[in-house]
Amino acid sequence: MPRNRQQIPKAEREAVLVDSAWELFAVKGYKGTSLTEVGKAAGVAANAVRWYFPTKDDLFAATLDRLFLRERERVEADPVIGGDPRRQLVAFLADLEAYRGLHREAYDRMDESPALADVYSRMWEWLEGRLLAAVASRLSEGADVEPVADMAHVLFEGLLVSARELDRPVEEFIDLLMEALVAVAAAR
């Protein structure tokens, strides 16, 4: 006999909603997706969606958080990439390039949505950590990395949300950034 909804753990029900929402957001975007559609795709009423995720932004944040976490875990566990922070950056950003429209929509909503701002804050922290680790090996001890982190933040925003088509691989952007950041830090 199939389990009824009360027998299914809350985390499992939330996961179904997040999966359903991701499929819709990926195809229709944030603006083109309604909570009613998400509920229907997950087999629950729209009001039930709000019980788990009070706002559409909360659901959107949960879907992006899952995407970032999965991608981060994938690149960190990839034996070819290994613990190389530069390779992790390149793989992570290259794989997320297909979702730049969603990143743009989330970025536009961050000032109004603490949930989205929190998700992006954690992602940028990880990205900056990878970049600083990659650049650190090229810098002399005691070099000022503060400008490096600020500049990296701006670049990552651009790579994630720019409407402009990239005319070169993400790897080239990362390498150019690292060279520029090392030169700036060394000059200070």
Side-chain angles (χ1 to χ4, degrees):
M1 174 184 286
R3 300 182 295 177
N4 68 33
R5 296 225 186 274
Q6 279 120 12
Q7 294 172 316
I8 301 171
K10 183 180 180 192
E12 198 175 311
R13 291 179 297 208
E14 282 180 357
V16 170
L17 286 169
V18 170
D19 288 343
S20 298
W22 173 249
E23 290 175 18
L24 290 165
F25 287 140
V27 172
K28 300 174 80 174
Y30 172 84
K31 292 176 186 166
T33 301
S34 71
L35 291 180
T36 301
E37 290 174 302
V38 172
K40 188 174 183 177
V44 301
N47 289 341
V49 175
R50 288 195 184 277
W51 190 77
Y52 295 98
F53 301 98
T55 69
K56 186 175 170 182
D57 282 344
D58 292 328
L59 180 58
F60 192 35
T63 61
L64 291 173
D65 196 35
R66 181 177 290 174
L67 170 67
F68 297 150
L69 183 60
R70 283 182 182 169
E71 186 58 26
R72 190 177 108 190
E73 288 173 349
R74 186 193 71 73
V75 301
E76 288 176 345
D78 188 313
V80 174
I81 295 170
D84 183 336
R86 181 196 158 279
R87 284 182 170 181
Q88 290 175 346
L89 272 176
V90 169
F92 185 88
L93 291 169
D95 288 350
L96 292 182
E97 190 174 348
Y99 305 109
R100 284 177 30 205
L102 288 177
H103 297 297
R104 218 175 0 267
E105 289 183 293
Y107 189 78
D108 289 344
R109 302 222 28 87
M110 282 195 317
D111 288 340
E112 300 161 28
S113 173
L116 286 167
D118 183 53
V119 166
Y120 270 84
S121 176
R122 286 193 311 273
M123 182 197 57
W124 282 322
E125 187 177 305
W126 183 83
L127 287 169
E128 286 177 8
R130 300 293 53 133
L131 182 65
L132 292 176
V135 170
S137 64
R138 298 179 180 190
L139 294 175
S140 60
E141 193 171 318
D144 183 11
V145 295
E146 202 59 38
V148 171
D150 291 342
M151 194 174 201
H153 186 84
V154 171
L155 175 82
F156 294 142
E157 284 181 20
L159 283 174
L160 289 169
V161 303
S162 175
R164 181 179 172 266
E165 282 295 318
L166 298 179
D167 57 356
R168 61 192 70 207
V170 170
E171 184 172 14
E172 284 187 44
F173 285 106
I174 297 297
D175 289 341
L176 285 169
L177 173 66
M178 287 176 56
E179 289 171 23
L181 295 176
V182 167
V184 167
R188 288 183 161 245

